[in-house]
Structure formats: structure tokens, C-alpha cells
Amino acid sequence: MSDKVVPELIKKKEARNAELKKKGDEERLKKKTDRKAKLAEIIKRGEKWYKSDLAERKALIENKRQAKKAGNYYVPAEAKVAFVVRIKGINTLHPKPRKVLSLLRLRQLHNGVFVRLNKATIQMIRLIEPYVTFGYPSKESISKLIYKRGFGKVNGARIPIQTNELIEKELGKFGIICIVDLIHEIAEVGPHFKEANNFLWAFKLNPPKGGFNCKRHAFIQGGDWGNREEYINDLIINMLQPFQYSNNLTSVFYTHRTLP
């Protein structure tokens, strides 16, 4: 009895499927290998930045101890980056401050951006000082902002930063391949700070819990606008908390005075 004859069309289909399966297996294996290598590189970079930050903190503590022992004061280096938050709207706003706010991407209330401090940006901040509050964020605050409210600009669209692939696709040519690199570039004002900061969309923050003290007065006078230096970290943490409506508001609208 002769063997069953397989049509030529079936043979070609089986050969094509086998070739596609082999190619797919090779691609999957390559992607898996690349993913493992990239993960190892990200962990390595994270450890490098962590050791660097730890060494800086130890050096700061040691310098303060030595200065105190010698009867002097240790003055740390000036901040290189500021976080600016808009606290006022557009009513009765002069065109010049409005233009500066637009240049700094502070187009909405409670928007926040990172600004590299130099002569030009300091003069711009002085022009809009009554409408914003700013200070010098710590690395922890920068990390919380990017992790919790970080959105990237991809082809003009606001895309949430959920994977390192998005960062590598947009900033990989500058050596920034993960969120740890992005945080370090912003905090240390690296050579590609401009590209990293432009990639980040302006942060949309919540109103602070309990509200502002007094927007008409400066921070040093018990108000809100102006430079608050390291105290900006407290405001950032406060504005990152989810906004909760008070139950007392509904009682105000739905209570009626009893007639005598």
C-alpha cells in the first residue's frame, strides 16, 4: 500500500509555519536576553546613584562637624534647580508676567515645573514672584513628583510614565534609559537637563490640604508667594495628597434657617 501523498501546497504551508515559528522563537529569546541585560544595567545605575548620594550626605555631615569643631559655620553650595508652583490665576494679570508664566509652562493654577537657576531664570522668577511660590526641592521630593505625577511629552501628547521603555525611546540618545537616570539628571542638573525637563510635562498638583495661608502676602511675612527655600518640600508633599471634599460643604448648602 502506497503512502498518502501530501499536496505541495500543504508542504509549503508547513515549511513556512516552521520557519516563522523558528524566527519568532529567536526574536523572543533575543528580547528576553536584552531585557535581562537592560534590567541588570538599570540596577547597576541605581546602585551607582545611591552610593553617590550616600557619599554626598556623609561629606555634608562631616563638613558641618569639622566647621562646628573649629568654631565656624559651614555654608553649603547654592541650589542649582528650583521647583516653581503657580498659586494665582489670570485676573488683573499684567501681560509681561503672563508671558513669563507661559514661557515657564505655568499656564494653569497649581502647575509646577523644574527650573535651572541662572541669571536669566532668576530674573524671570522675580517678575512673576507675586504669582508663584518656589524653593529648592530635595532628591526625595523630585523622586516623589516624577513617580506619582510624572507625565512625558510624546509627539505633543501627555503620556503617563509607566515604563522605562518610554523614557529610553525619547531620551535614550542622551544616555537616559530609566526613571532613575531621569531623576538624577533633574536633581543634579546634568548636561542634558534641558532635554529631560522638556520631556516632563508640567506637574498638575492638587490644592494643599487646608488651603494656602494668605496669597496676598509673601512667605516670609506669613503668606504664600515667593521663595520658601527648603520648605518647598513640605508644600510638595501636601499638594501630592489626593484632594478630599469636606462633608461640611454640603451641610452649608442644604441647611435652612428656621423662622422665628
Short mmCIF file of all heavy atoms in Angstrom, two decimals, residues 62-109:
data_model
loop_
_atom_site.label_atom_id
_atom_site.label_comp_id
_atom_site.label_asym_id
_atom_site.label_seq_id
_atom_site.Cartn_x
_atom_site.Cartn_y
_atom_site.Cartn_z
N GLU A 62 30.09 65.49 57.57
CA GLU A 62 31.46 65.62 58.03
C GLU A 62 31.94 67.08 57.96
O GLU A 62 32.62 67.56 58.88
CB GLU A 62 32.37 64.73 57.17
CG GLU A 62 33.81 64.68 57.63
CD GLU A 62 33.98 64.09 59.01
OE1 GLU A 62 33.11 63.27 59.43
OE2 GLU A 62 34.96 64.45 59.69
N ASN A 63 31.57 67.79 56.88
CA ASN A 63 31.96 69.19 56.77
C ASN A 63 31.31 70.04 57.86
O ASN A 63 31.94 70.95 58.41
CB ASN A 63 31.56 69.73 55.38
CG ASN A 63 32.40 69.13 54.27
OD1 ASN A 63 33.54 68.74 54.49
ND2 ASN A 63 31.82 69.05 53.08
N LYS A 64 30.06 69.76 58.18
CA LYS A 64 29.39 70.50 59.26
C LYS A 64 30.05 70.23 60.61
O LYS A 64 30.22 71.14 61.43
CB LYS A 64 27.90 70.12 59.31
CG LYS A 64 27.08 70.70 58.17
CD LYS A 64 25.62 70.34 58.33
CE LYS A 64 24.77 70.96 57.23
NZ LYS A 64 23.34 70.61 57.37
N ARG A 65 30.44 68.98 60.83
CA ARG A 65 31.09 68.63 62.10
C ARG A 65 32.44 69.33 62.23
O ARG A 65 32.78 69.87 63.30
CB ARG A 65 31.27 67.12 62.18
CG ARG A 65 30.00 66.36 62.50
CD ARG A 65 30.23 64.87 62.48
NE ARG A 65 29.03 64.13 62.81
CZ ARG A 65 28.91 62.81 62.72
NH1 ARG A 65 29.95 62.08 62.30
NH2 ARG A 65 27.78 62.21 63.05
N GLN A 66 33.20 69.32 61.15
CA GLN A 66 34.51 69.97 61.19
C GLN A 66 34.39 71.48 61.39
O GLN A 66 35.17 72.08 62.14
CB GLN A 66 35.27 69.67 59.89
CG GLN A 66 35.72 68.23 59.76
CD GLN A 66 36.47 67.96 58.47
OE1 GLN A 66 36.65 68.86 57.66
NE2 GLN A 66 36.89 66.71 58.27
N ALA A 67 33.40 72.09 60.73
CA ALA A 67 33.20 73.53 60.90
C ALA A 67 32.77 73.86 62.32
O ALA A 67 33.24 74.84 62.92
CB ALA A 67 32.15 74.03 59.90
N LYS A 68 31.91 73.05 62.89
CA LYS A 68 31.47 73.29 64.27
C LYS A 68 32.61 73.09 65.25
O LYS A 68 32.76 73.83 66.23
CB LYS A 68 30.32 72.33 64.60
CG LYS A 68 29.69 72.58 65.95
CD LYS A 68 28.50 71.65 66.18
CE LYS A 68 27.87 71.93 67.54
NZ LYS A 68 26.71 71.02 67.78
N LYS A 69 33.46 72.10 64.96
CA LYS A 69 34.61 71.84 65.84
C LYS A 69 35.59 72.99 65.81
O LYS A 69 36.22 73.34 66.83
CB LYS A 69 35.29 70.55 65.39
CG LYS A 69 36.36 70.05 66.34
CD LYS A 69 36.92 68.72 65.86
CE LYS A 69 37.99 68.21 66.82
NZ LYS A 69 38.55 66.91 66.34
N ALA A 70 35.73 73.63 64.64
CA ALA A 70 36.65 74.77 64.52
C ALA A 70 36.00 76.09 64.93
O ALA A 70 36.64 77.14 64.86
CB ALA A 70 37.15 74.86 63.08
N GLY A 71 34.73 76.04 65.35
CA GLY A 71 34.05 77.27 65.75
C GLY A 71 33.55 78.10 64.59
O GLY A 71 33.33 79.31 64.75
N ASN A 72 33.37 77.49 63.42
CA ASN A 72 32.89 78.21 62.23
C ASN A 72 31.52 77.67 61.81
O ASN A 72 30.95 76.80 62.46
CB ASN A 72 33.89 78.06 61.08
CG ASN A 72 35.23 78.68 61.43
OD1 ASN A 72 35.28 79.70 62.09
ND2 ASN A 72 36.31 78.05 60.97
N TYR A 73 31.05 78.20 60.71
CA TYR A 73 29.79 77.75 60.12
C TYR A 73 30.06 77.19 58.73
O TYR A 73 30.84 77.79 57.97
CB TYR A 73 28.78 78.88 60.04
CG TYR A 73 28.29 79.36 61.39
CD1 TYR A 73 28.86 80.48 61.99
CD2 TYR A 73 27.27 78.69 62.05
CE1 TYR A 73 28.43 80.92 63.22
CE2 TYR A 73 26.83 79.13 63.29
CZ TYR A 73 27.41 80.24 63.87
OH TYR A 73 26.98 80.67 65.09
N TYR A 74 29.40 76.10 58.41
CA TYR A 74 29.55 75.54 57.07
C TYR A 74 28.39 76.02 56.20
O TYR A 74 27.22 75.87 56.55
CB TYR A 74 29.55 74.01 57.11
CG TYR A 74 29.57 73.37 55.75
CD1 TYR A 74 30.73 73.37 54.97
CD2 TYR A 74 28.42 72.78 55.22
CE1 TYR A 74 30.75 72.79 53.71
CE2 TYR A 74 28.43 72.20 53.97
CZ TYR A 74 29.59 72.21 53.23
OH TYR A 74 29.61 71.65 51.97
N VAL A 75 28.73 76.63 55.08
CA VAL A 75 27.71 77.12 54.14
C VAL A 75 27.68 76.19 52.94
O VAL A 75 28.67 76.12 52.19
CB VAL A 75 28.02 78.56 53.69
CG1 VAL A 75 26.95 79.05 52.73
CG2 VAL A 75 28.13 79.48 54.89
N PRO A 76 26.61 75.45 52.74
CA PRO A 76 26.55 74.53 51.58
C PRO A 76 26.48 75.29 50.27
O PRO A 76 26.22 76.50 50.23
CB PRO A 76 25.27 73.72 51.84
CG PRO A 76 24.44 74.59 52.73
CD PRO A 76 25.40 75.39 53.56
N ALA A 77 26.70 74.58 49.19
CA ALA A 77 26.66 75.20 47.86
C ALA A 77 25.25 75.66 47.53
O ALA A 77 24.26 75.13 48.04
CB ALA A 77 27.14 74.20 46.81
N GLU A 78 25.16 76.68 46.68
CA GLU A 78 23.85 77.19 46.28
C GLU A 78 23.10 76.16 45.44
O GLU A 78 23.70 75.36 44.73
CB GLU A 78 24.01 78.48 45.47
CG GLU A 78 24.56 79.65 46.28
CD GLU A 78 24.63 80.92 45.47
OE1 GLU A 78 24.30 80.87 44.27
OE2 GLU A 78 25.01 81.96 46.04
N ALA A 79 21.80 76.22 45.56
CA ALA A 79 20.95 75.28 44.82
C ALA A 79 21.06 75.53 43.32
O ALA A 79 21.20 76.67 42.87
CB ALA A 79 19.50 75.41 45.28
N LYS A 80 20.99 74.45 42.55
CA LYS A 80 21.09 74.55 41.09
C LYS A 80 19.75 74.42 40.39
O LYS A 80 19.63 74.76 39.21
CB LYS A 80 22.04 73.47 40.57
CG LYS A 80 23.47 73.64 41.06
CD LYS A 80 24.39 72.57 40.49
CE LYS A 80 24.16 71.24 41.16
NZ LYS A 80 25.12 70.20 40.70
N VAL A 81 18.74 73.94 41.10
CA VAL A 81 17.43 73.74 40.49
C VAL A 81 16.36 74.19 41.48
O VAL A 81 16.52 74.05 42.70
CB VAL A 81 17.21 72.27 40.08
CG1 VAL A 81 17.21 71.36 41.29
CG2 VAL A 81 15.91 72.09 39.31
N ALA A 82 15.29 74.78 40.96
CA ALA A 82 14.16 75.22 41.77
C ALA A 82 12.89 74.58 41.25
O ALA A 82 12.79 74.24 40.05
CB ALA A 82 14.03 76.74 41.77
N PHE A 83 11.92 74.41 42.15
CA PHE A 83 10.60 73.94 41.75
C PHE A 83 9.63 75.09 41.95
O PHE A 83 9.49 75.62 43.05
CB PHE A 83 10.17 72.72 42.58
CG PHE A 83 8.90 72.09 42.10
CD1 PHE A 83 8.85 71.41 40.90
CD2 PHE A 83 7.73 72.19 42.84
CE1 PHE A 83 7.68 70.83 40.44
CE2 PHE A 83 6.55 71.62 42.40
CZ PHE A 83 6.53 70.92 41.20
N VAL A 84 8.97 75.50 40.86
CA VAL A 84 8.09 76.68 40.86
C VAL A 84 6.66 76.21 40.71
O VAL A 84 6.34 75.43 39.81
CB VAL A 84 8.47 77.65 39.72
CG1 VAL A 84 7.65 78.93 39.82
CG2 VAL A 84 9.96 77.97 39.74
N VAL A 85 5.78 76.72 41.60
CA VAL A 85 4.35 76.36 41.58
C VAL A 85 3.54 77.64 41.42
O VAL A 85 3.76 78.61 42.14
CB VAL A 85 3.94 75.63 42.88
CG1 VAL A 85 2.46 75.24 42.82
CG2 VAL A 85 4.80 74.41 43.12
N ARG A 86 2.61 77.62 40.49
CA ARG A 86 1.73 78.77 40.31
C ARG A 86 0.58 78.72 41.32
O ARG A 86 -0.07 77.69 41.46
CB ARG A 86 1.17 78.78 38.89
CG ARG A 86 0.26 79.96 38.60
CD ARG A 86 -0.06 80.08 37.13
NE ARG A 86 -0.95 81.21 36.87
CZ ARG A 86 -1.26 81.64 35.66
NH1 ARG A 86 -0.77 81.04 34.60
NH2 ARG A 86 -2.08 82.66 35.51
N ILE A 87 0.33 79.83 42.00
CA ILE A 87 -0.69 79.85 43.06
C ILE A 87 -1.79 80.89 42.79
O ILE A 87 -2.72 81.00 43.59
CB ILE A 87 -0.06 80.11 44.44
CG1 ILE A 87 0.62 81.48 44.47
CG2 ILE A 87 0.92 79.01 44.80
CD1 ILE A 87 1.10 81.89 45.86
N LYS A 88 -1.66 81.66 41.69
CA LYS A 88 -2.68 82.68 41.39
C LYS A 88 -3.17 82.50 39.95
O LYS A 88 -2.44 81.98 39.10
CB LYS A 88 -2.14 84.09 41.59
CG LYS A 88 -1.95 84.47 43.05
CD LYS A 88 -1.59 85.93 43.19
CE LYS A 88 -1.41 86.32 44.64
NZ LYS A 88 -1.06 87.76 44.80
N GLY A 89 -4.39 83.01 39.70
CA GLY A 89 -5.00 82.89 38.39
C GLY A 89 -4.60 84.01 37.45
O GLY A 89 -3.53 84.61 37.59
N ILE A 90 -5.49 84.34 36.50
CA ILE A 90 -5.15 85.31 35.46
C ILE A 90 -5.86 86.65 35.66
O ILE A 90 -5.66 87.56 34.86
CB ILE A 90 -5.51 84.75 34.06
CG1 ILE A 90 -7.00 84.47 33.97
CG2 ILE A 90 -4.69 83.52 33.75
CD1 ILE A 90 -7.46 84.11 32.58
N ASN A 91 -6.67 86.79 36.68
CA ASN A 91 -7.39 88.04 36.88
C ASN A 91 -6.42 89.17 37.22
O ASN A 91 -5.53 89.00 38.06
CB ASN A 91 -8.41 87.91 38.01
CG ASN A 91 -9.59 87.05 37.60
OD1 ASN A 91 -9.80 86.84 36.41
ND2 ASN A 91 -10.34 86.55 38.56
N THR A 92 -6.60 90.32 36.55
CA THR A 92 -5.76 91.51 36.74
C THR A 92 -4.27 91.19 36.60
O THR A 92 -3.46 91.69 37.37
CB THR A 92 -6.03 92.17 38.12
OG1 THR A 92 -5.59 91.27 39.15
CG2 THR A 92 -7.49 92.49 38.29
N LEU A 93 -3.95 90.34 35.64
CA LEU A 93 -2.56 89.94 35.43
C LEU A 93 -1.96 90.76 34.29
O LEU A 93 -2.52 90.82 33.19
CB LEU A 93 -2.49 88.44 35.09
CG LEU A 93 -1.10 87.80 35.03
CD1 LEU A 93 -0.38 87.92 36.35
CD2 LEU A 93 -1.21 86.34 34.62
N HIS A 94 -0.82 91.38 34.56
CA HIS A 94 -0.14 92.20 33.56
C HIS A 94 0.38 91.31 32.43
O HIS A 94 0.75 90.16 32.64
CB HIS A 94 1.02 92.96 34.21
CG HIS A 94 1.58 94.06 33.37
ND1 HIS A 94 2.60 93.83 32.47
CD2 HIS A 94 1.26 95.37 33.27
CE1 HIS A 94 2.89 94.98 31.86
NE2 HIS A 94 2.09 95.92 32.32
N PRO A 95 0.41 91.82 31.18
CA PRO A 95 0.86 90.99 30.05
C PRO A 95 2.28 90.44 30.19
O PRO A 95 2.55 89.32 29.75
CB PRO A 95 0.76 91.94 28.85
CG PRO A 95 -0.26 92.93 29.24
CD PRO A 95 -0.13 93.11 30.72
N LYS A 96 3.18 91.22 30.82
CA LYS A 96 4.56 90.74 30.93
C LYS A 96 4.68 89.52 31.85
O LYS A 96 5.27 88.50 31.45
CB LYS A 96 5.46 91.88 31.42
CG LYS A 96 6.93 91.62 31.18
CD LYS A 96 7.75 92.88 31.40
CE LYS A 96 9.21 92.65 31.03
NZ LYS A 96 10.02 93.87 31.20
N PRO A 97 4.14 89.56 33.09
CA PRO A 97 4.16 88.34 33.90
C PRO A 97 3.42 87.18 33.25
O PRO A 97 3.81 86.03 33.39
CB PRO A 97 3.50 88.77 35.21
CG PRO A 97 3.64 90.23 35.26
CD PRO A 97 3.62 90.70 33.85
N ARG A 98 2.34 87.50 32.52
CA ARG A 98 1.60 86.43 31.85
C ARG A 98 2.47 85.74 30.81
O ARG A 98 2.44 84.51 30.66
CB ARG A 98 0.35 87.01 31.18
CG ARG A 98 -0.53 85.96 30.53
CD ARG A 98 -1.73 86.57 29.86
NE ARG A 98 -2.55 87.31 30.80
CZ ARG A 98 -3.81 87.65 30.56
NH1 ARG A 98 -4.39 87.30 29.45
NH2 ARG A 98 -4.49 88.34 31.44
N LYS A 99 3.27 86.52 30.08
CA LYS A 99 4.16 85.95 29.08
C LYS A 99 5.24 85.09 29.74
O LYS A 99 5.57 84.00 29.24
CB LYS A 99 4.80 87.08 28.27
CG LYS A 99 5.77 86.61 27.19
CD LYS A 99 5.06 85.80 26.12
CE LYS A 99 6.02 85.42 25.00
NZ LYS A 99 5.36 84.58 23.99
N VAL A 100 5.79 85.55 30.86
CA VAL A 100 6.82 84.79 31.57
C VAL A 100 6.24 83.48 32.10
O VAL A 100 6.88 82.42 32.01
CB VAL A 100 7.43 85.63 32.70
CG1 VAL A 100 8.41 84.79 33.51
CG2 VAL A 100 8.13 86.85 32.14
N LEU A 101 5.03 83.53 32.64
CA LEU A 101 4.38 82.31 33.12
C LEU A 101 4.17 81.32 31.98
O LEU A 101 4.33 80.10 32.16
CB LEU A 101 3.04 82.65 33.77
CG LEU A 101 3.09 83.33 35.13
CD1 LEU A 101 1.72 83.85 35.52
CD2 LEU A 101 3.61 82.38 36.21
N SER A 102 3.82 81.84 30.81
CA SER A 102 3.64 80.97 29.65
C SER A 102 4.96 80.36 29.20
O SER A 102 5.02 79.19 28.83
CB SER A 102 3.01 81.76 28.51
OG SER A 102 2.86 80.96 27.36
N LEU A 103 6.05 81.15 29.26
CA LEU A 103 7.36 80.64 28.87
C LEU A 103 7.83 79.53 29.82
O LEU A 103 8.49 78.58 29.40
CB LEU A 103 8.38 81.77 28.85
CG LEU A 103 8.25 82.79 27.71
CD1 LEU A 103 9.21 83.93 27.91
CD2 LEU A 103 8.47 82.14 26.36
N LEU A 104 7.47 79.66 31.09
CA LEU A 104 7.85 78.64 32.08
C LEU A 104 6.86 77.48 32.14
O LEU A 104 6.97 76.63 33.01
CB LEU A 104 7.98 79.28 33.46
CG LEU A 104 9.13 80.26 33.64
CD1 LEU A 104 9.11 80.86 35.03
CD2 LEU A 104 10.47 79.61 33.38
N ARG A 105 5.86 77.48 31.24
CA ARG A 105 4.85 76.42 31.14
C ARG A 105 3.92 76.39 32.36
O ARG A 105 3.34 75.36 32.69
CB ARG A 105 5.49 75.04 30.94
CG ARG A 105 6.34 74.94 29.70
CD ARG A 105 6.88 73.55 29.52
NE ARG A 105 7.76 73.17 30.60
CZ ARG A 105 8.07 71.92 30.91
NH1 ARG A 105 7.56 70.92 30.21
NH2 ARG A 105 8.90 71.65 31.90
N LEU A 106 3.78 77.52 33.04
CA LEU A 106 2.87 77.61 34.19
C LEU A 106 1.57 78.24 33.71
O LEU A 106 1.24 79.38 34.06
CB LEU A 106 3.52 78.43 35.30
CG LEU A 106 4.79 77.83 35.91
CD1 LEU A 106 5.46 78.81 36.84
CD2 LEU A 106 4.47 76.54 36.66
N ARG A 107 0.82 77.51 32.91
CA ARG A 107 -0.38 78.06 32.26
C ARG A 107 -1.64 77.84 33.09
O ARG A 107 -2.67 78.44 32.79
CB ARG A 107 -0.56 77.44 30.88
CG ARG A 107 0.59 77.74 29.93
CD ARG A 107 0.36 77.14 28.55
NE ARG A 107 1.46 77.45 27.66
CZ ARG A 107 2.55 76.71 27.51
NH1 ARG A 107 2.67 75.59 28.22
NH2 ARG A 107 3.50 77.07 26.68
N GLN A 108 -1.58 76.99 34.10
CA GLN A 108 -2.77 76.71 34.92
C GLN A 108 -2.43 76.85 36.39
O GLN A 108 -1.27 76.78 36.80
CB GLN A 108 -3.28 75.29 34.64
CG GLN A 108 -3.83 75.08 33.25
CD GLN A 108 -4.28 73.66 33.04
OE1 GLN A 108 -3.79 72.73 33.68
NE2 GLN A 108 -5.22 73.46 32.13
N LEU A 109 -3.48 77.03 37.18
CA LEU A 109 -3.32 77.12 38.62
C LEU A 109 -2.82 75.79 39.18
O LEU A 109 -3.25 74.72 38.75
CB LEU A 109 -4.67 77.48 39.25
CG LEU A 109 -4.67 77.98 40.70
CD1 LEU A 109 -3.92 79.30 40.81
CD2 LEU A 109 -6.10 78.13 41.19
#
